[in-house]
Amino acid sequence: MTDIATLERDLLGAIDSAADEAAIEELRIAALGKSGSISALLKTLGAMTPEERKEKGPLINGLRDRVQGAIAARKEALGEAALDARLSSERVDVSLPVQDGPEARGRIHPISQVIDEITAIFGDMGFAIAEGPDVETDDLNFTKLNFPVGHPAREMHDTFFFAPDANGERKLLRTHTSPVQVRTMLAQEPPIRVICPGRTYRNDSDQTHTPMFHQVEGLVIDKKANLGHLKWVLEEFCKAFFEIDDVKMRFRPSFFPFTEPSMEVDIQCSRKGGEIRFGEGDDWLEILGCGMVHPNVLKNCGLDPDVYQGFAWGMGIDRIAMLKYGMPDLRPFFEADVRWLAHYGFRPLDLPTLTGGLSS
Ligand code: 2NL
């Protein structure tokens, strides 16, 4: 057997038994690479006599062609085998049940849920949503709202104050969301219809009060906005929010510095066995405060009280969330306990809408 024939037999044998694509590549380099065995043979052609070259040339070139062909064929076969192996090991079983994603495990906090519900109801009545900063000026939180400096009503809104800045101004954590409505009146022309949900703060901490809580306030300013409109808006809200067909409401005289007249509002309820139901029975439960915007507030916000009038109301979100969803204690609202949230939370994709149901 010639050297060339021996080399061919050895190479084809090795190619045939190469186990994977890496092994075949190693063989290709060893035979056809720059310093490969076939490349070395090809190089010898240059030093041969023409007769010798005529004889050996076709033999060496034939060897190269057959080895190249064998490598290509083996590579293809190994590639197909590798793909087959991957396809069978990575097969997807489409009959398996879908695994729960984060949207199925996560929960919406009842306060966020109630804000979404309130937004859906007032949005449907044509109200816009306004938001403002938690850190406010004394002017927007108190003075513009007709709490004069030194007035005792300020004491009921004791809050957290920041150190005075270079101008001696002491910023504070807002005690209600009313400054957002003040900002709205200062920024846009009536007619105004806004609701302002958000975090509020007071220096209060006991069984029924947390230093941070949530409020939603509403404001309507127009030339002829009146108390009848206020009563209708609140009645429609209560029916929609508590998901009842009808409800009696009671408006009792009260006092707020920023409204005149001012009222506290109770809704009809029954209390049987510790369970409160709305829209039935002959008991009452206070749920909000409201009134006609005080002329001083209109003036302070750049509106002429002889041209414009309006009404406003405010309520505690945490409290009405507890009432609607039967939660007995306020404190777990802010404890970030996932077990509580798993029990009282809402599914993220069940967005409250008037047509689809607020709380279902
Ligand atoms: C309550 C009572 C109330 C308002 C808030 C308001 C805002 C402006 C002008 C006039 Cl800018 N009024 N807000 C009015 C009446 C009552 O809240 O008991 N909240 C928990």
Side-chain angles (χ1 to χ4, degrees):
M1 221 180 197
T2 65
D3 288 352
I4 292 176
T6 312
L7 182 61
E8 175 162 351
R9 190 196 58 197
D10 291 350
L11 282 174
L12 292 181
I15 290 167
D16 220 32
S17 54
D20 53 28
E21 285 178 287
I24 210 87
E25 180 61 11
E26 226 168 82
L27 280 169
R28 189 191 64 77
I29 292 168
L32 300 160
K34 229 190 206 166
S35 25
S37 49
I38 296 180
S39 307
L41 279 176
L42 284 164
K43 271 182 215 150
T44 61
L45 288 173
M48 288 179 193
T49 61
E51 290 74 37
E52 234 181 336
R53 194 177 305 132
K54 212 168 170 188
E55 187 210 328
K56 292 279 174 65
L59 292 177
I60 300 174
N61 281 318
L63 163 71
R64 182 199 56 201
D65 294 348
R66 285 187 296 281
V67 169
Q68 262 175 352
I71 287 177
R74 183 76 185 136
K75 251 191 183 164
E76 198 181 308
L78 284 171
E80 272 173 23
L83 183 63
D84 282 347
R86 250 186 77 191
L87 284 175
S88 62
S89 73
E90 293 178 8
R91 187 175 296 151
V92 175
D93 183 350
V94 292
S95 68
L96 283 174
V98 177
Q99 296 242 322
D100 279 352
E103 74 285 357
R105 292 194 301 272
R107 286 292 178 273
I108 300 294
H109 195 285
I111 291 175
S112 303
Q113 168 77 17
V114 164
I115 290 176
D116 290 346
E117 292 179 17
I118 293 170
T119 303
I121 296 167
F122 285 112
D124 187 61
M125 288 193 230
F127 282 75
I129 314 296
E131 289 182 308
D134 291 15
V135 177
E136 267 295 2
T137 62
D138 184 280
D139 182 55
L140 289 167
N141 193 76
F142 290 126
T143 313
K144 288 242 179 337
L145 286 156
N146 203 33
F147 288 73
V149 175
H151 191 282
R154 283 194 181 217
E155 314 244 315
M156 294 170 68
H157 288 233
D158 185 20
T159 182
F160 304 89
F161 293 87
F162 291 79
D165 63 16
N167 309 316
E169 185 182 68
R170 255 187 349 157
K171 290 254 178 64
L172 48 80
L173 289 178
R174 66 183 182 191
T175 61
H176 43 191
T177 51
S178 313
V180 184
Q181 285 137 290
V182 171
R183 288 169 178 275
T184 305
M185 286 187 273
L186 290 169
Q188 66 193 56
E189 296 277 315
I192 291 171
R193 284 193 291 269
V194 284
I195 61 160
C196 311
R199 277 189 280 272
T200 47
Y201 306 82
R202 297 208 191 161
N203 189 3
D204 254 346
S205 188
D206 57 39
Q207 288 230 318
T208 53
H209 296 89
T210 48
M212 189 278 297
F213 57 104
H214 298 80
Q215 264 198 346
V216 57
E217 285 190 61
L219 176 73
V220 172
I221 305 280
D222 209 339
K223 289 184 173 153
K224 294 202 161 76
N226 64 48
L227 226 153
H229 299 147
L230 168 62
K231 291 184 76 169
W232 182 85
V233 165
L234 293 178
E235 221 169 270
E236 289 305 303
F237 167 73
C238 286
K239 284 192 286 188
F241 181 76
F242 291 109
E243 301 176 67
I244 48 184
D245 293 333
D246 207 8
V247 63
K248 281 194 205 116
M249 296 179 77
R250 191 166 76 169
F251 288 70
R252 288 178 286 105
S254 183
F255 172 82
F256 303 109
F258 32 73
T259 44
E260 182 58 38
S262 304
M263 287 152 287
E264 269 164 331
V265 181
D266 302 332
I267 64 168
Q268 172 197 18
C269 69
S270 71
R271 294 171 215 252
K272 274 185 232 131
E275 194 196 349
I276 298 183
R277 288 164 169 267
F278 297 101
E280 59 178 56
D282 47 16
D283 224 341
W284 297 99
L285 189 101
E286 183 187 326
I287 56 156
L288 58 93
C290 63
M292 298 302 294
V293 179
H294 197 294
N296 289 350
V297 175
L298 293 172
K299 267 186 254 171
N300 294 342
C301 297
L303 298 172
D304 182 349
D306 292 326
V307 177
Y308 290 111
Q309 53 191 33
F311 55 86
W313 70 93
M315 62 191 158
I317 293 175
D318 318 64
R319 192 171 136 73
I320 62 166
M322 284 171 73
L323 290 171
K324 179 166 179 179
Y325 292 112
M327 294 177 277
D329 191 350
L330 173 71
R331 287 165 297 186
F333 272 63
F334 309 116
E335 281 171 0
D337 184 335
V338 290
R339 294 165 302 177
W340 181 86
L341 198 58
H343 184 77
Y344 285 111
F346 293 81
R347 290 178 177 273
L349 296 179
D350 292 344
L351 289 177
T353 61
L354 291 187
T355 45
L358 284 180
S359 57
S360 53

